[in-house]
Amino acid sequence: MNPVKRLLFFLLICCSMPMFSQSNKEIKKHKIKSATVTVTEIVDGKEKNRTDSYQKFDNSANVLELVEYNKDGSFKKKESHKYNKNDDVTEEVIYDEKGNVKKKTTIEYNMEKDKTLETVYDGSGKMIEKTQHGYNSNGTRAYELTTDDKGKIIKKSIYTYNKNNLKTEKRTTDGNGNVTSVKKYAYEY
């Protein structure tokens, strides 16, 4: 490839960097309603264009819709989101390539804006699982409890904190109480 084509290729790649990397502040400032990322690749000396992704924003710069494509241009995923007045996600829907709902998640929050409940539904609207989030007196997450559609515990995570109220451990167990993972957090002061 000659130097001019290399430079052109480099500039096209740089210019096609995701607009999503723009901050919410910039999206609001410029009143951006949507962003489409296209990629131009040079294959066998010929330019080949494809859409990489698309995002639609609300007035608060929240992502209302996200569509991503594979390198061959085929559908990869589509999501839609709804938000409350605090800009917290209250609903996330994942679609298949035909636009049918694959999975829907609803999220509830308490007065302190903490996530309290996530409910997951399949494409037909049947509830699959619920995750309850509990908090301690300091307002930090104490546990997550995930149950199936019949209320049977699938997994439970317990959080512990140090004297500075910094998370030190997340211990996760399965529905039978067997430990499946332990994540530890260490801090340098």
Side-chain angles (χ1 to χ4, degrees):
M1 187 183 313
N2 73 35
V4 173
K5 283 187 178 180
R6 280 188 192 164
L7 179 60
L8 178 62
F9 177 72
F10 176 76
L11 289 173
L12 285 171
I13 296 297
C14 288
C15 292
S16 69
M17 289 297 183
M19 282 187 69
F20 328 132
S21 63
Q22 299 299 323
S23 70
N24 284 5
K25 183 178 173 182
E26 291 297 314
I27 292 168
K28 283 184 193 179
K29 176 182 172 186
H30 298 292
K31 299 179 182 175
I32 296 172
K33 293 181 181 181
S34 68
T36 302
V37 176
T38 56
V39 176
T40 301
E41 297 176 315
I42 309 298
V43 179
D44 297 327
K46 296 180 183 176
E47 288 185 10
K48 187 175 181 179
N49 295 314
R50 65 177 173 84
T51 301
D52 187 60
S53 58
Y54 167 83
Q55 281 188 323
K56 181 178 176 180
F57 306 100
D58 66 11
N59 292 335
S60 297
N62 295 313
V63 177
L64 295 174
E65 185 177 314
L66 166 66
V67 183
E68 293 181 354
Y69 300 91
N70 293 308
K71 286 189 175 191
D72 66 1
S74 63
F75 174 87
K76 183 176 183 179
K77 75 174 184 176
K78 178 180 177 181
E79 297 177 3
S80 68
H81 304 94
K82 290 183 181 177
Y83 300 84
N84 63 19
K85 65 183 179 188
N86 299 318
D87 292 327
D88 299 314
V89 176
T90 58
E91 181 180 281
E92 177 181 276
V93 180
I94 299 174
Y95 302 88
D96 65 17
E97 61 277 353
K98 295 178 183 172
N100 300 315
V101 174
K102 285 174 53 175
K103 182 171 92 168
K104 176 181 170 181
T105 304
T106 60
I107 303 128
E108 298 176 21
Y109 300 86
N110 63 19
M111 298 297 284
E112 286 77 39
K113 303 177 186 176
D114 298 316
K115 187 185 302 184
T116 57
L117 182 66
E118 290 179 84
T119 308
V120 180
Y121 304 88
D122 66 13
S124 69
K126 179 181 181 271
M127 195 268 283
I128 301 170
E129 67 180 35
K130 279 187 179 183
T131 302
Q132 297 172 330
H133 302 266
Y135 299 87
N136 62 27
S137 60
N138 293 326
T140 53
R141 185 167 299 165
Y143 69 88
E144 293 173 4
L145 180 65
T146 304
T147 56
D148 66 14
D149 63 329
K150 294 176 181 42
K152 182 181 177 202
I153 296 173
I154 299 171
K155 73 177 181 177
K156 184 176 185 178
S157 296
I158 303 291
Y159 295 87
T160 56
Y161 297 87
N162 65 18
K163 65 181 179 182
N164 296 324
N165 205 30
L166 296 171
K167 187 184 323 175
T168 56
E169 184 178 275
K170 176 183 177 183
R171 180 175 297 267
T172 303
T173 58
D174 63 17
N176 296 320
N178 300 315
V179 176
T180 58
S181 70
V182 177
K183 188 183 259 188
K184 295 191 182 247
Y185 303 84
Y187 306 95
E188 288 185 39
Y189 298 93

